[in-house]
Amino acid sequence: MATQHSRAAARFMIAPSVILLLAWMVVPLAMTLWFSFLRYNLLMPGDNPFVGFDNYSYFLTDPAFQAAIVNTLLLVVGVLIITVGGGIGLAVLLAQPMWGTGIIRIMVISPFFIMPTVSALVWKNMFMNPVNGLFAYGADLLGLQPFDFLTQAPLASIIGIVSWQWLPFATLILLTAMQSLDSDQMEAAEMDGASAFSRFFYITLPHLARAITVVILIQTIFLLSIFAEILVTTNGGPGVASTNLTYLVYAESLLRFDVGTGSAGGVVAIILANIVAIFLMRMIGKNLDA
Amino acid sequence: MARAITPGRKAVNTAIGAGIGILIFFPILWTFLTSFKSEATAIADPPVWFFFDWTFENYGAVQERSNYFRHFWNSVIISVGSTVLGLLIAVPAAWAMAFVPGKQTKNVLMWMLSTKMLPPVGVLVPLYLIFRDWGLLDTRTGLVIVLMLINLPIIIWMLYTYFKEIPGEILEAARMDGAGLQSEIIYVLTPMAVPGIASTLLLNIILAWNEAFWTLNLTASNAAPLTAFIASYSSPEGLFYAKLSAASTMAIAPILIMGWFSQKQLVRGLTFGAVK
């Protein structure tokens, strides 16, 4: 039984973590919020007057913002569809008995461990380049015109690259969930004459539902913040064709040095992420009780 | 009871599995192969697969072009440093929450997790300005601190879930046998906690090694780790595929191998115990 003494010790042991995370959360957040109400540009020294919601109305009515919101949603939803769909398929496949499971799994998982700048540059140059890339070579073999992926379909190309990085994550989580699938139940269904199709939809998919939700929520948190892949492939362009919210805030603050507008954009990004976070936290919280 | 499966069926499974596996792995394999080609061979049409004059010259060229090993070393210091620092702070906290849970423990854990949901871009501006004013821009110290803070919630959570699995009865048994608090910690708990701590260490080094938001925005050249160094290849000079491949291969090889050993920890660490 915990004593008075050990409770005090416990508090003392938890304190450093709490204080650090509290400072990490509160201080920059308060600064972002404060800056977002100032006219504050690093290129224009002088006092930074309070301008109320000017930055917000500027940021929110900027056509680039609307494009960025649409791009952010397309990027998140596109990657989710590919990775969750592909992940379910791969998890079902890899759960089947086969030889060399270990090595096959290692190959499937590997892209997740590749740093974002490397995967983006490898795809950009060695695959998607319209002159020297392998895709151009493949198109040539088929008698097709080479396609300049990152100029003609920048967002779709980035969705492809990011999906390659995140497919292993979805697969791994869903495969873990597959392992707790009751094989007796499967067998009984098969004996009762249930087709592979109905076994998948009435047993496997409901069993995976919880894991799928977790994958969607966690990936969404990370996908909202995709940055490096865009920076090294398209720089958000052409125009703003591949600019997402994260990249737009980066461009406002560190390329145009507009601290006020950048901060307003940061606040918008926080609100957007929080909407997802609330759902994720609820799911994890429920599990903690169990 | 698992049913017997025909060898034919198993062979088909294996063929499909291996085919998809190779397809997904192919870009990594291609990068590896290209790193040993000459620049001319790297863009040869038709592509050359295995039979070419293997050369190590790209690896030398990459080091010469921009002192590769300094960036490699930066990556090592930043990822290991931030993880070890994070562990020093997190172990006591996770320990206390797992073994002396109070009424607020669950809320504290959830709150810690919520800090991880904060999008980095939401605090980019203030952090950049703080770094500028404190002279932390482009320093390894600055990055160690930031990466420690962004991974701290994951570290605490992973440790907590591992510590939770240590049965409390063992502690009671040790106490019955007359072990004091100190020997309890040294002889009973520590050996049981080491595997969990090691797993946490491994996964967080991987995450810190590959972190590419703060490392790109808060470094220029001095403290740039490999993520930022590789990004400098986005504005190419002449033929560079083989050199890009060599730089990439060296940047991903150590972490890829670590990753292969950490599949289980990955699930635990990134789903916060929501999928088991």
Side-chain angles (χ1 to χ4, degrees), chain A residues 16-17 20-21 24, chain B residues 78-79 81-90 141-155 204 208:
Chain A
S17 300
L20 276 173
L21 284 174
W24 165 245
Chain B
I78 290 165
S79 58
S82 66
T83 304
V84 170
L85 189 62
L87 276 174
L88 289 178
I89 296 164
T141 316
L143 276 185
V144 165
I145 294 170
V146 168
L147 293 195
M148 184 274 282
L149 286 168
I150 63 165
N151 283 331
L152 192 57
I154 295 187
I155 298 180
N204 280 281

Side-chain angles (χ1 to χ4, degrees), chain A residues 1-2 6-7 9-11 13-14 16-18 20-22 24-25 27-29 31-32 35 40 42 90 93-94 96-100 102 104-118 121-127 129 132-134 137 140 164 167 169 172-173 176-177 180 183-184 186-187 190 210-211 214 218 221-222 225 227-228 231-232 245-246 249-250 253-254 257 259 262-263 266-267 269-270 273-274 277 280-289, chain B residues 1-3 5 7 9-11 13-14 16-18 20-28 30-31 34 43 45-47 49 75 89-90 92-93 95-97 100-102 106 108-130 132 146 148-150 152-153 156-157 160 175 206-207 209-210 212-214 216-217 226-228 230-231 233-234 240-241 244-245 248 251-252 255-256 259-260 262-263 266-267 270-276:
Chain A
M1 217 32 248
S6 63
R7 283 233 183 287
R11 249 182 238 124
M13 285 158 85
I14 301 172
S17 300
V18 171
L20 276 173
L21 284 174
L22 196 65
W24 165 245
M25 207 180 175
V27 175
L29 214 55
M31 285 171 76
T32 303
F35 292 157
Y40 186 177
L42 294 177
L90 274 173
L93 173 72
L94 294 178
Q96 306 290 319
M98 59 177 75
W99 290 293
I104 291 175
R105 266 188 211 182
I106 279 179
M107 288 196 290
V108 171
I109 303 304
S110 291
F112 189 74
F113 301 110
I114 308 303
M115 55 177 66
T117 43
V118 165
L121 282 178
V122 164
W123 277 100
K124 175 190 180 184
N125 293 300
M126 290 155 67
F127 289 88
N129 185 291
N132 294 322
L134 276 187
Y137 171 72
D140 204 35
W164 180 73
L167 181 62
F169 176 77
L172 195 60
I173 305 287
T176 309
S180 58
S183 65
D184 286 346
M186 260 314 193
E187 216 170 308
E190 202 176 348
R210 189 189 155 74
V214 172
I218 291 175
I221 296 281
F222 284 95
S225 297
F227 171 74
L231 179 77
V232 300
L245 192 54
T246 300
V249 175
Y250 155 80
S253 4
L254 296 192
F257 296 104
V259 170
S263 298
V267 173
I270 291 169
N274 272 347
L280 178 58
M281 299 286 289
R282 262 199 208 139
M283 290 208 58
I284 293 170
K286 260 186 212 144
N287 207 61
L288 207 59
D289 291 328
Chain B
M1 255 306 285
R3 281 157 304 156
I5 186 153
R9 179 73 197 281
K10 202 170 171 183
N13 284 344
T14 309
I16 301 174
I20 293 180
I22 291 169
L23 200 65
I24 292 177
F25 190 72
F26 181 74
I28 300 168
W30 186 244
T31 306
T34 305
I43 56 163
D45 185 8
W49 299 93
S75 271
I89 296 164
W95 189 286
M97 285 192 282
V100 197
K106 188 191 156 182
V108 172
L109 270 170
M110 292 308 287
W111 167 76
M112 284 176 169
L113 186 58
S114 74
T115 64
K116 185 70 198 161
M117 313 281 167
L118 191 69
V121 76
V123 291
L124 171 64
V125 177
L127 222 65
Y128 184 84
L129 294 178
I130 292 173
R132 187 196 61 181
V146 168
M148 184 274 282
L149 286 168
I150 63 165
L152 192 57
I156 294 176
W157 262 85
Y160 173 78
R175 238 169 269 167
I206 295 175
L207 291 179
W209 184 279
N210 289 340
F213 182 80
W214 295 115
L216 286 171
N217 279 317
L226 289 168
T227 43
I230 299 284
Y233 277 90
S234 64
F240 73 112
Y241 283 15
L244 169 67
S245 298
S248 299
I252 62 181
I255 235 58
L256 191 57
W260 290 341
S262 70
Q263 295 180 31
L266 185 75
V267 175
L270 290 181
T271 63
F272 307 101
V275 172
K276 281 180 187 143

Side-chain angles (χ1 to χ4, degrees), chain A residues 202-224:
Chain A
Y202 293 108
I203 301 179
T204 310
L205 214 50
H207 176 77
L208 291 180
R210 189 189 155 74
I212 291 173
T213 317
V214 172
V215 167
I216 291 177
L217 292 170
I218 291 175
Q219 282 202 28
T220 305
I221 296 281
F222 284 95
L223 295 176
L224 284 172

